[in-house]
Amino acid sequence: MTRGVYRLGDDAVSFYALVEEGEVTLVDAGLPIHYRQLTELLGGIGRSVQDVRAVLLTHAHLDHVGLAERLRQEAGAIVWAHARDVPALANPRRTPPEAKPEANLGAYLLRHPTALRAPLHMARSGALRTPGITTASSFSGGETLDVPGRPHVVAVPGHTPGSVVFHLPSQGVVFTGDALVTHDGLIGRTGPQLIGPVFSHDTTQARVSLENLVALDADLILPGHGEPFRGPITDAVQQARLTSF
């Protein structure tokens, strides 16, 4: 992929390990079922969960925070999220009113029952057992975090009120979480795109926030859902702007 960056997860959700000088930062934290995969990856490069120093959350949805509290307890890792998403971490299984998605998932599934595959996968992978995160540090966007990899935080509200991406300028890498993905698990669409209103708080704002990505020096996009995208980030943003729901 690129030096010191490892992709984890499965066909439905991705998260990433960033390794620098033997210390580890996780970008997002997958689902509870992914713990063994994480330990095997770290063991294969001579590291362990005790080397995880930080867990950086692109946003506070269940499929991105699954291992965060466990790593906080077992490794003493500091969990970081945008200040506007931190309140949701205490009970990630219940979306707070101020962050509710625009559209109702249940109503959507009644019209498109085949889309049930994505939430069923999450349930089977332990999403509904995800513990609340009892202590988290916050950022507001614009910071370069003093954690392994020193990622720069860019605020991209819309998918959730506190959605962010993490940029590694020296490597031309951006972790986009769900602000820009390359696979829609409900309808199977691939390529750079936005996530629809059944999972997003404000899709209009999410579309506007794509502008915050244009100036980033990056040619490798690592999303929360779908395959990595290689190429100028401007190309990915241009395609995502065309997303229709």
Side-chain angles (χ1 to χ4, degrees):
M1 183 174 293
T2 190
R3 178 176 52 84
V5 177
Y6 301 86
R7 183 183 177 196
L8 295 130
D10 52 42
D11 291 342
V13 59
S14 296
F15 65 111
Y16 302 89
L18 174 57
V19 181
E20 182 180 75
E21 297 181 354
E23 296 186 322
V24 181
T25 293
L26 286 191
V27 178
D28 286 328
L31 293 159
I33 199 173
H34 295 136
Y35 182 79
R36 180 175 178 180
Q37 184 189 52
L38 173 63
T39 61
E40 290 176 347
L41 169 75
L42 294 178
I45 59 173
R47 308 261 62 90
S48 75
V49 294
Q50 298 302 317
D51 297 307
V52 178
R53 299 289 176 256
V55 179
L56 311 183
L57 302 177
T58 59
H59 62 291
H61 281 170
L62 273 178
D63 52 337
H64 294 260
V65 307
L67 300 179
E69 178 64 7
R70 183 170 184 175
L71 292 170
R72 191 193 70 79
Q73 293 186 21
E74 293 186 1
I78 299 175
V79 179
W80 290 84
H82 192 282
R84 294 184 67 187
D85 271 19
V86 165
L89 297 177
N91 187 356
R93 292 169 291 179
R94 179 178 297 172
T95 305
E98 64 272 17
K100 289 285 187 184
E102 291 179 310
N104 181 274
L105 177 60
Y108 182 89
L109 293 176
L110 286 174
R111 298 193 305 271
H112 308 282
T114 58
L116 189 60
R117 290 189 297 263
L120 282 178
H121 172 78
M122 287 180 58
R124 288 193 296 265
S125 299
L128 300 181
R129 301 190 304 274
T130 300
I133 297 166
T134 56
T135 303
S137 296
S138 66
F139 44 68
S140 58
E143 305 93 334
T144 296
L145 300 179
D146 187 17
V147 301
R150 295 187 57 79
H152 184 71
V153 183
V154 180
V156 284
H159 181 64
T160 67
S163 288
V164 301
V165 305
F166 298 106
H167 181 213
L168 305 181
S170 64
Q171 293 181 250
V173 174
V174 60
F175 304 92
T176 56
D178 286 5
L180 188 158
V181 301
T182 60
H183 181 253
D184 183 321
L186 291 180
I187 63 176
R189 178 172 55 196
T190 59
Q193 60 193 284
L194 295 173
I195 286 183
V198 296
F199 290 125
S200 287
H201 171 64
D202 186 338
T203 52
T204 298
Q205 180 63 63
R207 199 181 300 275
V208 171
S209 288
L210 288 172
E211 188 63 28
N212 296 346
L213 305 181
V214 172
L216 300 181
D217 182 11
D219 55 13
L220 176 59
I221 295 172
L222 300 178
H225 303 278
E227 295 296 316
F229 177 90
R230 292 185 181 274
I233 195 168
T234 51
D235 290 356
V237 168
Q238 184 175 6
Q239 292 182 53
R241 284 175 175 150
L242 301 176
T243 306
S244 58
F245 304 113

